Amino acid sequence: MIAASAALTLAAACGNGGPGTGSGAAGSGVQVWALEDAAVNPIATRSIADFNAGTGNKVELVTYVNDAYKQKLQVAMGSPQAPDVFFNWGGGNLEQFVDAGQVEPLDDVLAKDPALKDKFLPSVMSVGQVGGKQYGLPMLGVLPVVLFINKDVFDQAGVQPPKTYAELLNLIDVFKSKRVVPIALAGSQGWTELMWLEYLLDRIGGADKFQAIAAGRDGAWTDPAVVKALGEIKNLVGRGAFGTNYASVNYDNQGASKLFATGKAAMHLMGTWDFSVQKDANPKFITDGKLGYVNFPAYDGGAGDPKAVVGNPSNYYSVNAASKNKTVATDFVVKSLTSDSYINGLIEAGQVPPVKGVEATLRTKPNADFTTFTYDLVANAPSFTQSWDQALSPSVSAALLTNLQKLFVDKITPDEFAAAMAKVK
């Protein structure tokens, strides 16, 4: 979720500085463009140094802050100033460059080395595909959205985490009766509300329903499964699932996270990055063993697979189709992202790489219970739907979040929401 990524240093979804100094002057060697991130850039720098030492090539890293990067990449692609390798979010973000013929497909490389394709988790690899072809390889950790549980509040109420949506609805009534907000929600920001629509549609209709939306198919927004998911949101609000003040709660100032950690709310649907937020802001909540986590519950009678997840699958490295150094650029992407030093570097930075066989290493590191839970969740997922505000175009995403906020405060009906989104291009 693009809005969510502003809160994440863990996700390397955005940075805090300007164009990287000492990362290489534009126009020399093989350029790798990425985001400025204090935790991840040293790992990338080491992988580049190792590659250069082993091959005699000159690959260099240039970093930018989030907003500057997006603008710079849009302008540069298709010009002589474009990078050889570029960081992207996969999905719709990558598709725009593929449609313009600016990205080199990696299928031939994968065909020659089947072990390479098998190195990464399938659900994450799929987000780097466009039109059935592979255009990006995952280069950062996975960030699924999960249902966080305050174990202390649950124990006091004598209840268990929900396995089905019906159980979730029952828990809302239980916690309301005990004067506890059932679910913390930073409702002043639409991206936090989007997680509910993403999971409800996935569970009710299956992952294909959003794929139809992302593909711009006629009738996708007005599909009965979409309207039903929107109706469930309206029911949640009316049932008091989020309390009465959710529309004024903010995520960036940790409003929802604190509400949850202090026991004033029982649950919190949020990306796994919130674990780091809690670890920094409310460490005893974790060290005392009060933080629990489960996948979003199954929907009774729904067509979706209850093992499916939504969120931020990863970020990706892709190769510029117009690069004069495509062979070296591709070789760098393949070798660096699969090297033990790079993968272990991500783990040391607290990330969960989308790479097969890292479970044993994760178990030896801090917060092993949570990181292995996250890894297993993604490894067993039949699909990993990318956050809609990343997968869709900026104009559609903006309209989506605006209409969603209206739905959550009862200013628009599910049918009106669907009809409004069907008109957005």
Side-chain angles (χ1 to χ4, degrees):
M1 294 175 175
I2 292 175
S5 64
L8 315 181
T9 54
L10 170 66
C14 60
N16 299 309
T21 56
S23 297
S28 61
V30 174
Q31 294 283 308
V32 178
W33 283 15
L35 295 189
E36 182 116 359
D37 187 281
V40 176
N41 291 158
I43 303 170
T45 300
R46 286 197 300 271
S47 73
I48 288 173
D50 290 344
F51 179 81
N52 287 342
T55 64
N57 289 299
K58 187 179 181 181
V59 176
E60 46 201 355
L61 179 69
V62 178
T63 60
Y64 299 91
V65 294
N66 190 61
D67 291 340
Y69 176 77
K70 293 175 185 176
Q71 182 177 9
K72 181 77 173 179
L73 188 64
Q74 288 280 359
V75 173
M77 289 300 285
S79 77
Q81 287 73 45
D84 300 279
V85 176
F86 64 98
F87 167 106
N88 61 82
W89 286 264
N93 175 258
L94 176 59
E95 185 176 8
Q96 63 182 317
F97 299 113
V98 173
D99 289 346
Q102 296 169 339
V103 190
E104 184 72 9
L106 303 173
D107 299 88
D108 288 347
V109 176
L110 296 174
K112 292 176 183 177
D113 185 3
L116 172 61
K117 183 176 182 179
D118 194 52
K119 183 82 172 178
F120 299 98
L121 299 179
S123 63
V124 179
M125 278 287 277
S126 66
V127 181
Q129 297 174 1
V130 177
K133 292 185 177 182
Q134 195 75 40
Y135 289 97
L137 293 184
M139 47 79 70
L140 285 180
V142 296
L143 292 164
V145 172
V146 301
L147 185 63
F148 286 101
I149 302 294
N150 188 314
K151 292 182 179 180
D152 201 29
V153 175
F154 269 70
D155 288 344
Q156 291 174 15
V159 293
Q160 297 295 318
K163 293 182 180 180
T164 68
Y165 190 70
E167 291 177 359
L168 176 67
L169 294 179
N170 181 64
L171 286 172
I172 291 170
D173 297 336
V174 170
F175 291 121
K176 277 182 60 183
S177 71
K178 297 184 179 298
R179 299 183 182 278
V180 173
V181 175
I183 304 165
L185 177 66
S188 65
Q189 295 159 286
W191 63 265
T192 65
E193 299 170 332
L194 180 58
M195 297 175 185
W196 284 95
L197 179 56
E198 290 168 344
Y199 260 127
L200 282 167
L201 180 57
D202 187 275
R203 294 295 187 263
I204 291 170
D208 289 347
K209 296 299 182 182
F210 176 68
Q211 294 308 316
I213 290 173
R217 293 177 193 155
D218 290 340
W221 279 112
T222 55
D223 186 287
V226 176
V227 177
K228 185 172 184 179
L230 294 166
E232 289 292 2
I233 288 175
K234 186 174 176 64
N235 292 338
L236 286 170
V237 173
R239 200 178 189 115
F242 311 110
T244 57
N245 299 319
Y246 62 91
S248 62
V249 178
N250 187 275
Y251 184 81
D252 295 337
N253 65 9
Q254 301 175 6
S257 300
K258 184 176 181 180
L259 189 72
F260 170 65
T262 55
K264 295 179 181 178
M267 295 172 279
H268 188 200
L269 186 67
M270 185 50 61
T272 50
W273 58 80
D274 203 57
F275 184 92
S276 293
V277 172
Q278 298 291 5
K279 185 180 178 182
D280 291 339
N282 307 294
K284 281 183 62 63
F285 184 42
I286 292 177
T287 57
D288 289 349
K290 295 181 178 180
L291 178 63
Y293 26 82
V294 297
N295 197 6
F296 194 88
Y299 190 92
D300 308 280
D305 192 319
K307 290 184 179 180
V309 295
V310 308
N312 299 345
S314 184
N315 295 111
Y316 299 79
Y317 271 155
S318 296
V319 176
N320 181 357
S323 170
K324 296 178 180 180
N325 306 294
K326 277 193 290 190
T327 300
V328 176
T330 302
D331 194 37
F332 163 74
V333 169
V334 169
K335 289 182 177 178
S336 65
L337 298 186
T338 58
S339 70
D340 289 340
S341 61
Y342 186 84
I343 294 168
N344 289 331
L346 290 179
I347 294 174
E348 291 294 337
Q351 298 207 18
V352 179
V355 176
K356 294 180 181 178
V358 299
E359 303 96 312
T361 303
L362 290 172
R363 292 191 190 100
T364 68
K365 301 300 179 182
N367 310 309
D369 287 348
F370 183 69
T371 57
T372 54
F373 160 80
T374 301
Y375 180 86
D376 290 341
L377 191 68
V378 176
N380 294 322
S383 64
F384 194 151
T385 297
Q386 187 181 30
S387 299
W388 294 10
D389 53 354
Q390 289 184 5
L392 300 173
S393 70
S395 60
V396 176
S397 294
L400 168 64
L401 297 180
T402 297
N403 284 316
L404 196 56
Q405 287 195 284
K406 291 180 180 179
L407 180 76
F408 267 83
V409 293
D410 203 27
K411 289 185 177 180
I412 190 174
T413 68
D415 286 323
E416 289 171 340
F417 178 104
M421 290 307 303
K423 297 176 182 177
V424 180
K425 303 298 181 184

